[in-house]
Amino acid sequence: MDGAKTIGEMMSLDGRVALVTGGAGHIGRRCAAALAELGARVALADLDGNGCQDAASAIHGEFGNETLALAADLADEAAVRDLPGAVAEGLGGLDIVVTCAAFVGTSRLKGWAVPFEGQSTETWRAALEVNLTSVFALVQAAAPALRKSGHGSVITLGSIYGQVGPDWGLYAGTGMGNPAAYAAGKGGLLQLTRWLATTLAPRVRVNMVSPGGIARGQDRAFVRRYLERTPLGRMGREDDVAGAVAYLAGGLAGYVTGQNIVVDGGWTAW
């Protein structure tokens, strides 16, 4: 077909700049590496400045792409709003934003992953600030650069628990928890993703990737029960999430916006 691009051309992120929050974390680091492998220059932002620098250095060493590490507290709105400018100054623009940073079920917060009666409103507010409000502020600050890019893409990281309630039988006897604020934040993020998709269209695409459980050496009883409920018979891996993010970042998903790709091995298909 005349003018048609090859799949390789549509996959390529050569010349583009991506910002990945939570870049020092398991999923953020893998997503940043995937974007670099496709040719993007990558900025990683994380509260853990040393971990962020280590990840950026490793990505540069493996793929040769220019990288940038930014220490940032996503609970600090001013720091969040400064990120797009810092990326544009350091790497020459901004085309892709991936929001991986979040408090998760294993985060060590008081009144967090405990029985409902012990979950605190103070921690609820802190979690929503990072898991939801920071995404609003970041995308708002990044919007001018993303519009200017011509390839603007925002990818938020959700969760199956933004769509379904927890099965508490999975957690029985394990000491693991499932905070209400995590679910509420991810549910809100899903709707924010849809809202941003129609608001920033047609120049910026906005989509979500919602992972199921990612293998982290969890309690064996939890894992056994989880696998029994999962059609594909295994827990997720960082590569599973990174593949979906890589798809949404570039031209392969050029006509995709406002969508939520659920990467859960079929968990929510029942």
Side-chain angles (χ1 to χ4, degrees):
M1 294 175 60
D2 292 340
K5 293 183 178 180
T6 66
I7 293 296
E9 289 171 334
M10 288 190 287
M11 289 176 63
S12 174
L13 298 178
D14 285 347
R16 300 187 197 180
V17 175
L19 166 62
V20 180
T21 68
H26 296 283
I27 291 177
R29 181 184 296 226
R30 184 65 191 90
C31 289
L35 299 179
E37 185 176 352
L38 294 176
R41 303 190 301 280
V42 181
L44 296 85
D46 201 287
L47 181 62
D48 179 0
N50 290 333
C52 194
Q53 183 61 62
D54 289 345
S57 297
I59 290 169
H60 174 72
E62 184 172 1
F63 300 108
N65 307 49
E66 190 176 1
T67 60
L68 179 66
L70 299 167
D73 182 356
L74 297 190
D76 179 346
E77 182 177 341
V80 171
R81 291 187 178 277
D82 285 345
L83 285 173
V87 175
E89 181 178 354
L91 296 179
L94 182 59
D95 306 280
I96 302 159
V97 173
V98 185
T99 64
C100 293
F103 289 123
V104 296
T106 55
S107 297
R108 295 182 178 181
L109 301 173
K110 184 178 180 180
W112 177 240
V114 296
F116 178 53
E117 292 76 11
Q119 294 180 27
S120 73
T121 52
E122 180 181 3
T123 297
W124 166 282
R125 292 188 182 100
L128 290 182
E129 185 68 27
V130 171
N131 292 10
L132 181 58
T133 305
S134 73
V135 178
F136 168 84
L138 177 61
V139 177
Q140 190 176 58
L146 293 171
R147 289 190 179 105
K148 181 180 179 181
S149 137
H151 304 286
S153 176
V154 175
I155 304 160
T156 62
L157 261 289
S159 168
I160 56 172
Y161 286 126
Q163 303 163 72
V164 299
D167 175 356
W168 290 107
L170 294 173
Y171 301 91
T174 67
M176 298 172 64
N178 191 303
Y182 180 78
K186 293 301 187 181
L189 187 58
L190 174 56
Q191 188 56 24
L192 177 61
T193 299
R194 294 178 179 130
W195 189 93
L196 289 169
T198 61
T199 301
L200 297 182
R203 297 171 71 181
V204 180
R205 297 180 299 105
V206 187
N207 295 285
M208 172 178 273
V209 174
S210 288
I214 303 296
R216 288 277 189 276
Q218 293 95 333
D219 186 287
R220 284 187 290 180
F222 171 85
V223 173
R224 175 179 53 77
R225 295 165 188 157
Y226 193 92
L227 299 189
E228 289 172 352
R229 284 277 310 272
T230 305
L232 291 187
R234 67 171 175 86
M235 297 195 72
R237 296 186 284 260
E238 286 79 7
D239 283 350
D240 299 319
V241 181
V245 167
Y247 161 69
L248 290 171
L252 284 175
Y255 196 53
V256 178
T257 198
Q259 302 305 305
N260 177 29
I261 297 181
V262 182
V263 182
D264 68 350
W267 173 272
T268 54
W270 294 108

